[in-house]
Amino acid sequence: MVSPVPARPPLYVTEWKHLFVVLINTDFEDRTDLERLDMALEIGRLTGKHVAVDASCIPFMSAEVLTTLLRHRQRTGHLPWLVGPLSPPTTRRLEISGTLRLFEIFPTLLEATAHSRGE
C-alpha cells in the first residue's frame, strides 16, 4: 500500500536577518487561508523587517490574495515585496488591476535578500 503524500500547507513563513518571507504554495481563496496570509503579513510587519511574499509557486494570483496584499499597505503605508518568478497570469492580474507598478518585484528570493541587506 502506498502512503498518501501529505498536503503542503498553503503558506510558510520564515524570518531572516533583514527579511521576513511569506511563501505562498497555492492560490488559495479559502477565508481561513486568507486570514493566515493576513496574519503572516502582520507578524512580518511587527518584526520591523522588510516583508517579502514569494509567489513563485502559484500559477495565478486570485483577487482575494491581491486584496489581502493591498490591505497590508493600508495598515503599514507600504506593500510587501513580491518575489518570483511570477507566472504570466499573475503578472497580467497585476497589470490589469493597475497595481504592477506599485509593487517592488524581485525575480528571485536571493535578489530580494541582497536588496534587503542594501547590496
Side-chain angles (χ1 to χ4, degrees), residues 12-31:
Y12 292 98
V13 296
T14 185
E15 186 176 355
W16 298 348
K17 186 173 181 180
H18 300 283
L19 194 63
F20 187 88
V21 180
V22 179
L23 171 65
I24 301 174
N25 280 321
T26 183
D27 185 35
F28 43 81
E29 295 181 19
D30 179 80
R31 183 155 195 75

Side-chain angles (χ1 to χ4, degrees), residues 39-115:
M39 283 191 294
L41 293 171
E42 179 62 14
I43 291 167
R45 181 191 70 79
L46 293 173
T47 67
K49 299 176 182 183
H50 292 285
V51 177
V53 175
D54 186 335
S56 63
C57 294
I58 58 173
F60 179 75
M61 182 181 290
S62 69
E64 291 80 8
V65 169
L66 179 56
T67 299
T68 301
L69 297 177
L70 293 172
R71 198 171 30 246
H72 181 73
R73 181 181 186 188
Q74 291 174 331
R75 284 195 306 262
T76 66
H78 59 276
L79 289 167
W81 294 346
L82 292 181
V83 176
L86 301 179
S87 70
T90 293
T91 302
R92 185 75 180 131
R93 159 86 62 194
L94 296 172
E95 288 171 343
I96 290 172
S97 66
T99 58
L100 181 65
R101 63 179 175 73
L102 301 177
F103 285 98
E104 189 153 0
I105 301 172
F106 296 90
T108 66
L109 192 52
L110 183 60
E111 290 179 50
T113 302
H115 189 76

